[in-house]
Amino acid sequence: MAKSKILIADDNPTNVELLEVYLTDFDCQIAIAVDGRDTLDKVAEFQPDLILLDVMMPKISGFEVCKRLKGDPATKDIMILMVTALNEPGDIERGVLSGCDDFLSKPINKVELLMRVKKLLEHRHITDELERLRRYIDSMEDSAGPPGKAEQPPPPGRPSGPGAKAKEEPRGPKRRK
């Protein structure tokens, strides 16, 4: 399996550094975005599996970034973990309404972060595999032709398959030896 890609979107360098250190246990590629606009640009070029998204960022808020990504068919399946100092019930509700997949309040607990990252990446990879299998099944159905038009098996005693030849039956009366 290819390395997972994680985008850390936070305007605070200390937070970014802490998240990078915590993620050293994962075999993953990491990219950094420093504001909402930069996050959208990095998503387009880096194509992450997971975004650790701060809510309070310059230019475009994390809520708005999340809403845009989840509203776009090309990026809707990217897992988004909102990591923020906001922890009021209204903030969590707003995060859920914007489409985030999980919510983590600061200060960050390393074990909690790692477990959530692990589960979200597993979910992403399972979803990707299901989509791949769905496309494969669709292509197999397309190549089989319309339903009901499948080749009927030959009657018993008749050969089947390409290049099959019928067994030669002797003609005329049978001779006794």
Side-chain angles (χ1 to χ4, degrees):
M1 183 182 345
K3 280 186 175 186
S4 296
K5 294 180 175 184
I6 300 175
L7 175 61
I8 299 172
D10 197 315
D11 61 315
N12 183 323
T14 305
N15 292 341
V16 170
E17 187 178 334
L18 179 66
L19 289 169
E20 282 183 299
V21 169
Y22 282 177
L23 292 172
T24 57
D25 293 349
F26 282 95
D27 185 24
C28 63
Q29 291 178 281
I30 295 175
I32 309 298
V34 296
D35 60 49
R37 169 65 40 215
D38 189 32
T39 300
L40 295 172
D41 293 342
K42 289 275 171 54
V43 165
E45 68 186 55
F46 185 61
Q47 299 178 344
D49 299 300
L50 171 64
I51 302 172
L52 304 182
L53 181 62
D54 184 31
V55 170
M56 299 186 308
M57 288 194 299
K59 297 185 182 176
I60 303 174
S61 77
F63 293 127
E64 182 60 27
V65 168
C66 185
K67 192 174 180 180
R68 289 184 191 185
L69 292 172
K70 292 299 186 173
D72 182 344
T75 57
K76 69 178 178 52
D77 294 328
I78 297 171
M79 304 305 294
I80 298 177
L81 174 59
M82 285 199 170
V83 182
T84 184
L86 300 176
N87 59 6
E88 294 297 317
D91 299 324
I92 295 170
E93 182 179 346
R94 190 169 172 205
V96 170
L97 291 174
S98 69
C100 79
D101 298 291
D102 207 346
F103 203 95
L104 187 60
S105 294
K106 296 175 185 176
I108 298 167
N109 175 295
K110 180 181 178 182
V111 173
E112 185 177 12
L113 171 74
L114 295 179
M115 289 307 299
R116 289 180 191 220
V117 167
K118 179 182 175 192
K119 294 298 178 194
L120 289 169
L121 288 174
E122 285 173 356
H123 184 273
R124 172 64 192 244
H125 294 305
I126 288 169
T127 302
D128 287 350
E129 183 65 9
L130 285 173
E131 180 60 24
R132 187 190 69 75
L133 290 171
R134 187 196 61 75
R135 285 192 313 268
Y136 174 75
I137 289 168
D138 287 349
S139 73
M140 295 302 290
E141 288 173 349
D142 290 347
S143 67
K149 296 286 185 181
E151 216 177 280
Q152 297 294 318
R158 294 276 172 112
S160 64
K165 292 187 178 181
K167 182 178 175 184
E168 292 291 325
E169 296 284 332
R171 294 191 178 163
K174 292 186 177 179
R175 296 186 197 170
R176 290 187 183 201
K177 290 186 179 179

